[in-house]
Amino acid sequence: MVGLKPPEVPPTAAMKFVSAGMAGCIADLCTFPLDTAKVRLQIQGEVRIPRTISSVEYRGVLGTLSTMVRTEGARSLYRGLAAGLQRQMSFASIRIGLYDSVKQLYTPKGAERTMPNIARNAIINCGELVTYDLLKDALLRTQLMTDNVPCHFVAAFGAGFCATVVASPVDVVKTRYMNASPGQYRNALSCLLALLMQDGPAGLYKGFVPSFLRLGSWNVVMFVSYEQLQRAMALARPGLA
């Protein structure tokens, strides 16, 4: 499958906006159980967190998923999905759908390379977006691949890995901090220090495999869906007029 070809007339900002929200929801539907498993593995070992199932021990991604199904039922894998879909329809629509428009606003016409601020913002907020954009551009510029599904797949997979490496430490601390009992940590910094004392630097990458499986697969599904949805909308635009 190679997917739809790029339209002669590029998609409008509104088409990108809608396509990004829909693609984010599709990606969440496909990868939500992996996100649930990631959170369970990240908070495992937190001794003072009140647990509903204190005797359960999770081992690996598949072990976590099977344990959840056995002890809590299959529906537990999708607990909180509605909130996740609502988040994607708002957050992904803006973050992903408007990325190209904002990038073009800050990129001088005829410039071969994008502005240093875009690369800096990749680390702060949207690592996977800029990494995907750079990887895709490199694949097309070197003519290793054409602008279609295989290219989007490779770029999205690489973006997911880079984003996981950068975001894992922050994600682990956030998960521990948000799931802590009241008063357990003064702030996120004290949570970080406690984590380092308990597990060492390796604790910052606790649950890395499920994080990568989730974020990598999410990026692949989302970006491939996003590219195809916006192209489909652009191709259908003459018929809708």
Side-chain angles (χ1 to χ4, degrees):
M1 177 181 178
V2 293
L4 298 173
K5 296 180 179 180
E8 295 182 2
V9 180
T12 64
M15 291 178 180
K16 294 177 181 178
F17 188 87
V18 175
S19 298
M22 294 173 63
C25 288
I26 294 172
D28 255 21
L29 286 170
C30 294
T31 63
F32 203 81
L34 292 174
D35 188 50
T36 304
K38 177 207 71 172
V39 172
R40 294 292 181 98
L41 287 169
Q42 284 180 341
I43 64 175
Q44 185 168 250
E46 186 67 29
V47 293
R48 285 185 289 180
I49 293 179
R51 299 173 179 171
T52 55
I53 310 174
S54 58
S55 61
V56 171
E57 183 177 358
Y58 301 112
R59 295 182 180 275
V61 180
L62 294 179
T64 301
L65 295 175
S66 62
T67 298
M68 290 180 62
V69 172
R70 186 176 68 254
T71 59
E72 305 174 53
R75 295 183 63 180
S76 65
L77 300 179
Y78 284 91
R79 188 172 296 151
L81 176 63
L85 296 180
Q86 292 173 3
R87 177 178 180 271
Q88 294 303 335
M89 282 305 298
S90 56
F91 182 62
S93 296
I94 297 173
R95 181 173 67 98
I96 300 169
L98 299 184
Y99 170 76
D100 282 338
S101 300
V102 174
K103 185 184 73 173
Q104 292 171 8
L105 180 65
Y106 286 99
T107 303
K109 291 184 178 179
E112 294 183 358
R113 297 178 179 271
T114 56
M115 300 170 68
N117 279 338
I118 294 179
R120 178 178 62 84
N121 289 337
I123 301 174
I124 299 173
N125 261 335
C126 52
E128 73 277 8
L129 280 171
V130 178
T131 305
Y132 174 82
D133 193 34
L134 294 175
L135 289 174
K136 177 184 172 183
D137 181 67
L139 291 171
L140 297 177
R141 189 173 61 251
T142 57
Q143 297 183 345
L144 292 175
M145 307 184 84
T146 58
D147 189 5
N148 230 311
V149 172
C151 175
H152 305 157
F153 182 95
V154 173
F157 189 85
F161 179 79
C162 293
T164 306
V165 172
V166 173
S168 271
V170 177
D171 191 42
V172 172
V173 173
K174 179 205 71 173
T175 302
R176 286 287 185 97
Y177 187 65
M178 293 179 63
N179 285 275
S181 56
Q184 182 174 346
Y185 302 116
R186 294 191 303 274
N187 47 45
L189 179 59
S190 66
C191 178
L192 170 62
L193 294 176
L195 174 63
L196 290 174
M197 291 181 63
Q198 179 180 335
D199 299 324
L204 295 175
Y205 285 91
K206 194 170 187 177
F208 180 84
V209 172
S211 292
F212 171 61
L213 290 177
R214 190 266 173 181
L215 195 54
S217 58
W218 191 93
N219 273 272
V220 168
V221 175
M222 192 283 299
F223 277 115
V224 171
S225 299
Y226 173 56
E227 295 275 9
Q228 294 302 300
L229 284 169
Q230 65 174 331
R231 290 179 182 188
M233 289 185 179
L235 291 173
R237 180 170 52 182
L240 298 175

